[in-house]
PDB file of all heavy atoms in Angstrom:
ATOM      1  N   PHE A 188      -7.169  -6.624 -15.854  1.00  0.00           N
ATOM      2  CA  PHE A 188      -7.993  -6.731 -14.646  1.00  0.00           C
ATOM      3  C   PHE A 188      -7.149  -6.420 -13.434  1.00  0.00           C
ATOM      4  O   PHE A 188      -6.079  -6.996 -13.252  1.00  0.00           O
ATOM      5  CB  PHE A 188      -8.533  -8.193 -14.539  1.00  0.00           C
ATOM      6  CG  PHE A 188      -9.354  -8.428 -13.308  1.00  0.00           C
ATOM      7  CD1 PHE A 188     -10.699  -8.191 -13.290  1.00  0.00           C
ATOM      8  CD2 PHE A 188      -8.737  -8.888 -12.158  1.00  0.00           C
ATOM      9  CE1 PHE A 188     -11.446  -8.419 -12.160  1.00  0.00           C
ATOM     10  CE2 PHE A 188      -9.483  -9.109 -11.015  1.00  0.00           C
ATOM     11  CZ  PHE A 188     -10.827  -8.860 -11.009  1.00  0.00           C
ATOM     12  N   ALA A 189      -7.629  -5.493 -12.549  1.00  0.00           N
ATOM     13  CA  ALA A 189      -6.873  -5.091 -11.390  1.00  0.00           C
ATOM     14  C   ALA A 189      -7.583  -5.373 -10.085  1.00  0.00           C
ATOM     15  O   ALA A 189      -6.959  -5.331  -9.037  1.00  0.00           O
ATOM     16  CB  ALA A 189      -6.581  -3.574 -11.495  1.00  0.00           C
ATOM     17  N   GLY A 190      -8.887  -5.630 -10.102  1.00  0.00           N
ATOM     18  CA  GLY A 190      -9.631  -5.893  -8.906  1.00  0.00           C
ATOM     19  C   GLY A 190     -11.106  -5.757  -9.145  1.00  0.00           C
ATOM     20  O   GLY A 190     -11.575  -5.622 -10.309  1.00  0.00           O
ATOM     21  N   THR A 191     -11.872  -5.741  -8.068  1.00  0.00           N
ATOM     22  CA  THR A 191     -13.339  -5.527  -8.180  1.00  0.00           C
ATOM     23  C   THR A 191     -13.765  -4.487  -7.192  1.00  0.00           C
ATOM     24  O   THR A 191     -13.137  -4.259  -6.136  1.00  0.00           O
ATOM     25  CB  THR A 191     -14.135  -6.822  -7.922  1.00  0.00           C
ATOM     26  OG1 THR A 191     -13.991  -7.205  -6.538  1.00  0.00           O
ATOM     27  CG2 THR A 191     -13.694  -7.966  -8.810  1.00  0.00           C
ATOM     28  N   ILE A 192     -14.875  -3.828  -7.550  1.00  0.00           N
ATOM     29  CA  ILE A 192     -15.483  -2.838  -6.671  1.00  0.00           C
ATOM     30  C   ILE A 192     -16.970  -2.827  -6.970  1.00  0.00           C
ATOM     31  O   ILE A 192     -17.353  -3.127  -8.112  1.00  0.00           O
ATOM     32  CB  ILE A 192     -14.867  -1.437  -6.885  1.00  0.00           C
ATOM     33  CG1 ILE A 192     -15.306  -0.480  -5.782  1.00  0.00           C
ATOM     34  CG2 ILE A 192     -15.158  -0.893  -8.266  1.00  0.00           C
ATOM     35  CD1 ILE A 192     -14.491   0.822  -5.722  1.00  0.00           C
ATOM     36  N   GLY A 193     -17.780  -2.558  -5.972  1.00  0.00           N
ATOM     37  CA  GLY A 193     -19.205  -2.541  -6.249  1.00  0.00           C
ATOM     38  C   GLY A 193     -20.025  -2.107  -5.082  1.00  0.00           C
ATOM     39  O   GLY A 193     -19.527  -1.721  -4.029  1.00  0.00           O
ATOM     40  N   LEU A 194     -21.335  -2.165  -5.310  1.00  0.00           N
ATOM     41  CA  LEU A 194     -22.334  -1.813  -4.313  1.00  0.00           C
ATOM     42  C   LEU A 194     -23.081  -3.089  -3.900  1.00  0.00           C
ATOM     43  O   LEU A 194     -23.420  -3.918  -4.736  1.00  0.00           O
ATOM     44  CB  LEU A 194     -23.338  -0.818  -4.894  1.00  0.00           C
ATOM     45  CG  LEU A 194     -22.831   0.480  -5.460  1.00  0.00           C
ATOM     46  CD1 LEU A 194     -23.958   1.272  -6.069  1.00  0.00           C
ATOM     47  CD2 LEU A 194     -22.087   1.270  -4.399  1.00  0.00           C
ATOM     48  N   HIS A 195     -23.332  -3.211  -2.642  1.00  0.00           N
ATOM     49  CA  HIS A 195     -24.139  -4.334  -2.119  1.00  0.00           C
ATOM     50  C   HIS A 195     -24.957  -3.792  -0.940  1.00  0.00           C
ATOM     51  O   HIS A 195     -24.878  -2.618  -0.619  1.00  0.00           O
ATOM     52  CB  HIS A 195     -23.283  -5.536  -1.729  1.00  0.00           C
ATOM     53  CG  HIS A 195     -22.285  -5.261  -0.645  1.00  0.00           C
ATOM     54  ND1 HIS A 195     -22.538  -5.413   0.688  1.00  0.00           N
ATOM     55  CD2 HIS A 195     -21.019  -4.761  -0.701  1.00  0.00           C
ATOM     56  CE1 HIS A 195     -21.488  -5.080   1.407  1.00  0.00           C
ATOM     57  NE2 HIS A 195     -20.532  -4.675   0.582  1.00  0.00           N
ATOM     58  N   SER A 196     -25.731  -4.660  -0.306  1.00  0.00           N
ATOM     59  CA  SER A 196     -26.614  -4.231   0.802  1.00  0.00           C
ATOM     60  C   SER A 196     -27.391  -2.992   0.367  1.00  0.00           C
ATOM     61  O   SER A 196     -27.541  -2.048   1.131  1.00  0.00           O
ATOM     62  CB  SER A 196     -25.810  -3.980   2.064  1.00  0.00           C
ATOM     63  OG  SER A 196     -25.061  -5.128   2.442  1.00  0.00           O
ATOM     64  N   ILE A 197     -27.900  -3.027  -0.845  1.00  0.00           N
ATOM     65  CA  ILE A 197     -28.615  -1.869  -1.422  1.00  0.00           C
ATOM     66  C   ILE A 197     -29.972  -1.720  -0.758  1.00  0.00           C
ATOM     67  O   ILE A 197     -30.731  -2.676  -0.614  1.00  0.00           O
ATOM     68  CB  ILE A 197     -28.731  -2.045  -2.945  1.00  0.00           C
ATOM     69  CG1 ILE A 197     -27.326  -2.000  -3.571  1.00  0.00           C
ATOM     70  CG2 ILE A 197     -29.675  -1.020  -3.538  1.00  0.00           C
ATOM     71  CD1 ILE A 197     -27.289  -2.362  -5.027  1.00  0.00           C
ATOM     72  N   GLN A 198     -30.255  -0.490  -0.337  1.00  0.00           N
ATOM     73  CA  GLN A 198     -31.558  -0.138   0.243  1.00  0.00           C
ATOM     74  C   GLN A 198     -32.150   0.968  -0.616  1.00  0.00           C
ATOM     75  O   GLN A 198     -31.910   2.136  -0.342  1.00  0.00           O
ATOM     76  CB  GLN A 198     -31.394   0.288   1.684  1.00  0.00           C
ATOM     77  CG  GLN A 198     -30.818  -0.791   2.573  1.00  0.00           C
ATOM     78  CD  GLN A 198     -30.485  -0.326   3.969  1.00  0.00           C
ATOM     79  OE1 GLN A 198     -31.064   0.619   4.472  1.00  0.00           O
ATOM     80  NE2 GLN A 198     -29.546  -0.974   4.575  1.00  0.00           N
ATOM     81  N   LEU A 199     -32.891   0.581  -1.657  1.00  0.00           N
ATOM     82  CA  LEU A 199     -33.400   1.572  -2.629  1.00  0.00           C
ATOM     83  C   LEU A 199     -34.317   2.597  -1.943  1.00  0.00           C
ATOM     84  O   LEU A 199     -34.217   3.789  -2.265  1.00  0.00           O
ATOM     85  CB  LEU A 199     -34.159   0.877  -3.753  1.00  0.00           C
ATOM     86  CG  LEU A 199     -33.293   0.003  -4.666  1.00  0.00           C
ATOM     87  CD1 LEU A 199     -34.171  -0.736  -5.663  1.00  0.00           C
ATOM     88  CD2 LEU A 199     -32.227   0.800  -5.375  1.00  0.00           C
ATOM     89  N   GLY A 200     -35.147   2.194  -1.020  1.00  0.00           N
ATOM     90  CA  GLY A 200     -36.061   3.123  -0.358  1.00  0.00           C
ATOM     91  C   GLY A 200     -35.344   4.191   0.462  1.00  0.00           C
ATOM     92  O   GLY A 200     -35.832   5.292   0.608  1.00  0.00           O
ATOM     93  N   ASP A 201     -34.157   3.845   0.938  1.00  0.00           N
ATOM     94  CA  ASP A 201     -33.371   4.809   1.735  1.00  0.00           C
ATOM     95  C   ASP A 201     -32.260   5.434   0.899  1.00  0.00           C
ATOM     96  O   ASP A 201     -31.467   6.212   1.445  1.00  0.00           O
ATOM     97  CB  ASP A 201     -32.714   4.080   2.934  1.00  0.00           C
ATOM     98  CG  ASP A 201     -33.737   3.670   3.966  1.00  0.00           C
ATOM     99  OD1 ASP A 201     -34.758   4.367   4.101  1.00  0.00           O
ATOM    100  OD2 ASP A 201     -33.537   2.631   4.628  1.00  0.00           O
TER     101      ASP A 201
END
Side-chain angles (χ1 to χ4, degrees):
F188 177 89
T191 68
I192 191 166
L194 304 176
H195 61 91
S196 304
I197 294 171
Q198 298 173 27
L199 294 175
D201 291 329

